[in-house]
Amino acid sequence: GRSDDDDSGDFERGDKVEARYGGKSKWYKGKISMVHSDGTYDVLYEDGDKERKVKKSLIRKLGGDDRKKKSSFGGRSDDDD
């Protein structure tokens, strides 16, 4: 397999990732904003949401950088912030 996508590596601050917000089944794009010593991560989502102490099992690294799609990213429509 390709060495750039093995799941054993840890994420680093600034890594582009997808994470399952609230542990739900849907993946949302964001990036790692902080790495905690207990193996969890803070994620800053593209729609402006933040989530703290996300388990690594709920995060996956985003593949290629597809900026072309960024304009169509609408975030979660069910947001009642």
Side-chain angles (χ1 to χ4, degrees):
R2 301 202 315 282
S3 60
D4 59 336
D5 61 356
D6 63 285
D7 286 331
S8 61
D10 288 323
F11 302 112
E12 293 177 23
R13 207 177 140 190
D15 276 357
K16 287 195 171 72
V17 296
E18 289 180 311
R20 286 164 55 186
Y21 184 88
K24 300 193 181 94
S25 56
K26 194 157 188 262
W27 295 88
Y28 295 97
K29 284 189 181 139
K31 68 178 182 180
I32 301 293
S33 60
M34 181 164 308
V35 179
H36 295 284
S37 54
D38 61 359
T40 61
Y41 301 87
D42 288 4
V43 178
L44 174 62
Y45 292 96
E46 270 190 15
D47 61 1
D49 268 331
K50 294 193 190 72
E51 197 173 18
R52 286 172 49 81
K53 300 228 166 193
V54 184
K55 289 198 199 76
K56 192 169 156 188
S57 56
L58 297 178
I59 306 172
R60 66 185 182 196
K61 191 164 255 176
L62 207 53
D65 195 335
D66 51 357
R67 298 249 159 132
K68 293 186 287 277
K69 284 199 220 146
K70 190 156 173 56
S71 56
S72 65
F73 185 89
R76 301 202 314 290
S77 55
D78 61 342
D79 205 338
D80 57 359
D81 201 299

